[in-house]
Amino acid sequence: DIVMTQSPDSLAVSLGERATISCKSSQSLLYTSDNKYYLGWLQQKPGQPPKFLIRWASSRESGVPDRFSGSGSGTDFTLTISSLQAEDVAIYYCQQFYTTPYTFGQGTKLEIK
Amino acid sequence: EVQLVESGGGLVKPGGSLRLSCAGSGFSFSNAWMNWVRQAPGKGLEWIAQIKSKPNGGTTDYATPMKGRFTISREDSKNTAYLQMNTLETEDTAVYYCATGGLGLDYWGQGTLVTVSS
């Protein structure tokens, strides 16, 4: 199984500041046939189901604010929130869909400082 | 609007069985790949199983710990996916979500709570 490891486990950032979450996979998530990284990011607010934010490591889903961005290559990926808003308090998960069993990172809890 | 509604959760004794349902609307259910994901209390997300659409073969995949105990199925005429869970253990206590997608888990239901306890 592909192991997904996120860092840090928790993060406190001031409103308006940048938040950065890292995700590392135990093997490459690049599908050479289409040159895409099979990596997504999800947001889970308290008491809610997860919400899919970013696909292909860097492609925002419709309706996701542009302060959210994804980047990375190979086995190292990053979710960045450029200017933290109060509504961004949540747990963030990376997830690989390169192969089953799909696997998630352990989650990063983002709070306001 | 895409909607997924899970049902069938509840309290069950260790060793018991339960069947969860996931009713979908607002999208082409017959062309959707369906997944089940669970979240134990205070823990992270764990993918359980996937069933592809019939045009893509209708095949199933499972997380290793669930193979042989859990079975995913679908009934496209009812826009519903199922998760049959047998020989339940206390460690199976979790909120069970269904989610669409094979290239990312696009849409999620609100989840149904399964509690395994004597």
Side-chain angles (χ1 to χ4, degrees), chain A residues 48-67:
Chain A
Q48 295 185 19
K51 175 186 175 184
F52 196 56
L53 294 180
I54 288 175
R55 195 190 308 263
W56 311 127
S58 60
S59 179
R60 269 190 311 275
E61 292 293 284
S62 174
V64 174
D66 61 7
R67 63 180 181 273

Side-chain angles (χ1 to χ4, degrees), chain A residues 22-78:
Chain A
S22 297
C23 173
K24 188 174 182 67
S25 58
S26 61
Q27 68 181 72
S28 175
L29 303 181
L30 177 65
Y31 232 79
T32 53
S33 60
D34 58 12
N35 203 37
K36 290 181 176 179
Y37 289 100
Y38 281 48
L39 184 282
W41 288 96
L42 301 98
Q43 174 195 62
Q44 186 176 30
K45 295 182 179 180
Q48 295 185 19
K51 175 186 175 184
F52 196 56
L53 294 180
I54 288 175
R55 195 190 308 263
W56 311 127
S58 60
S59 179
R60 269 190 311 275
E61 292 293 284
S62 174
V64 174
D66 61 7
R67 63 180 181 273
F68 290 90
S69 64
S71 63
S73 61
T75 61
D76 292 287
F77 303 92
T78 301

Side-chain angles (χ1 to χ4, degrees), chain A residues 100 102, chain B residues 33-35 47 49-52 59-61 72 101-102:
Chain A
T100 54
Y102 297 155
Chain B
W33 296 18
M34 300 301 297
N35 302 265
W47 179 82
Q50 179 187 77
I51 185 166
K52 294 181 180 177
T59 55
T60 57
D61 275 303
I72 189 172

Side-chain angles (χ1 to χ4, degrees), chain A residues 1 38 42 44 47-52 55-56 61 93 95 97 100-106, chain B residues 33 35 37 39 43-47 50 61-64 97 102-106 108-110:
Chain A
D1 298 1
Y38 281 48
L42 301 98
Q44 186 176 30
Q48 295 185 19
K51 175 186 175 184
F52 196 56
R55 195 190 308 263
W56 311 127
E61 292 293 284
Y93 296 92
Q95 181 233 333
F97 47 93
T100 54
Y102 297 155
T103 45
F104 295 89
Q106 78 276 20
Chain B
W33 296 18
N35 302 265
V37 177
Q39 186 169 37
K43 301 296 184 184
L45 301 169
E46 181 181 26
W47 179 82
Q50 179 187 77
D61 275 303
Y62 297 91
T64 302
Y97 296 102
L103 299 177
L105 299 177
D106 306 295
W108 296 62
Q110 291 295 315

